[in-house]
Amino acid sequence: MALFKALTDFVSNLDTQSITAERKQTLSQLVDYIQAKVNDGESIHINFICTHNSRRSHLSQIWAQTMAHHFNVKNVNCYSGGTEATALFPMVAETLTNTGFEVKTLSGGNNPVYSIKFSENEHAVIGFSKRMDDDFNPKSDFAAIMTCSQADEGCPFVPGAEKRIPITYEDPKAFDGTSQQAEKYSERSKQIATEMFYVFSQIKK
């Protein structure tokens, strides 16, 4: 099943030419990890990790799951976690909604749980803030993708990870409460979408 139409339109306008050669080198570690699993017919588990599991790690998880579906790479399960649990920042949900995802709040409170759908008949991604070792996440045989330099430096070892890959992003949090907030979250989301598009476009099935 295709992505929702608004998402299909968004994805069709992503420009992988905007990714530098140096950045592609960084992303190649994830490409190689996924390709090796595909070649061996194994399930692919990827846990995107950031300090608070509130912004970049969620955007990465959701876009990676979306692009795996878009490029028909099977048996990909994407997760996210932090060194501590806080809450998925509301601007992330708003940014995803504006891009074409179907976002619903399943429960409120200090750490709301969201259902995030990218296609009519595919499972929703469940988004909420959690520690990287939460029961919701895999315990072994996964790639740990460090999406922020703080988590990268603070977690030299991720229990259970068979591969640890730093793919860090600038934090849009710096623009919270400013007139540029929506623009900067959208910018970061688009960067992550473009890079995950590139990663999954490289996989030979």
Side-chain angles (χ1 to χ4, degrees):
M1 274 295 287
L3 302 175
F4 291 132
K5 179 165 189 330
L7 268 179
T8 301
D9 294 345
F10 178 85
V11 167
S12 68
N13 286 310
L14 295 174
D15 177 20
T16 55
Q17 298 298 313
S18 64
I19 306 172
T20 64
E22 184 185 11
R23 189 66 176 171
K24 283 180 179 173
Q25 193 63 44
T26 300
L27 296 169
S28 70
Q29 296 180 71
L30 180 53
V31 173
D32 292 346
Y33 177 83
I34 297 168
Q35 189 66 64
K37 292 286 184 186
V38 169
N39 294 348
D40 292 342
E42 294 179 8
S43 294
I44 301 149
H45 300 282
I46 308 169
N47 195 357
F48 294 90
I49 296 166
C50 198
T51 311
H52 298 118
N53 189 212
S54 57
R55 296 170 176 81
R56 291 163 285 178
S57 46
H58 276 110
L59 289 170
S60 300
Q61 172 194 8
I62 291 152
W63 278 119
Q65 195 70 63
T66 302
M67 294 308 177
H69 174 76
H70 181 66
F71 285 103
N72 199 29
V73 181
K74 304 286 190 193
N75 302 317
V76 176
N77 303 287
C78 297
Y79 310 85
S80 67
T83 52
E84 58 183 285
T86 54
L88 189 152
F89 192 65
M91 193 68 214
V92 170
E94 196 177 312
T95 301
L96 292 168
T97 300
N98 293 341
T99 309
F101 289 90
E102 200 176 86
V103 181
K104 292 187 175 147
T105 308
L106 300 180
S107 69
N110 292 334
N111 186 4
V113 178
Y114 296 89
S115 148
I116 302 150
K117 285 196 79 160
F118 51 80
S119 178
E120 206 66 60
N121 291 334
E122 290 299 308
H123 285 302
V125 176
I126 302 301
F128 66 98
S129 185
K130 68 201 95 58
R131 283 173 52 91
M132 58 186 173
D133 58 358
D134 189 274
D135 285 343
F136 209 78
N137 289 340
K139 297 287 183 248
S140 62
D141 303 325
F142 65 92
I145 311 301
M146 316 308 286
T147 62
C148 72
S149 52
Q150 203 179 342
D152 186 27
E153 289 157 15
C155 294
F157 172 72
V158 178
E162 57 183 355
K163 184 88 176 161
R164 183 185 175 288
I165 306 168
I167 302 177
T168 61
Y169 295 99
E170 293 293 323
D171 195 352
K173 180 183 181 178
F175 297 90
D176 286 0
T178 73
S179 59
Q180 290 179 281
Q181 179 175 317
E183 176 198 343
K184 291 299 180 181
Y185 273 78
S186 175
E187 201 177 275
R188 189 60 60 243
S189 179
K190 189 174 183 179
Q191 181 199 359
I192 293 170
T194 304
E195 294 193 349
M196 292 303 134
F197 179 99
Y198 171 76
V199 165
F200 283 95
S201 73
Q202 300 299 298
I203 304 305
K204 297 169 182 64
K205 300 184 284 294

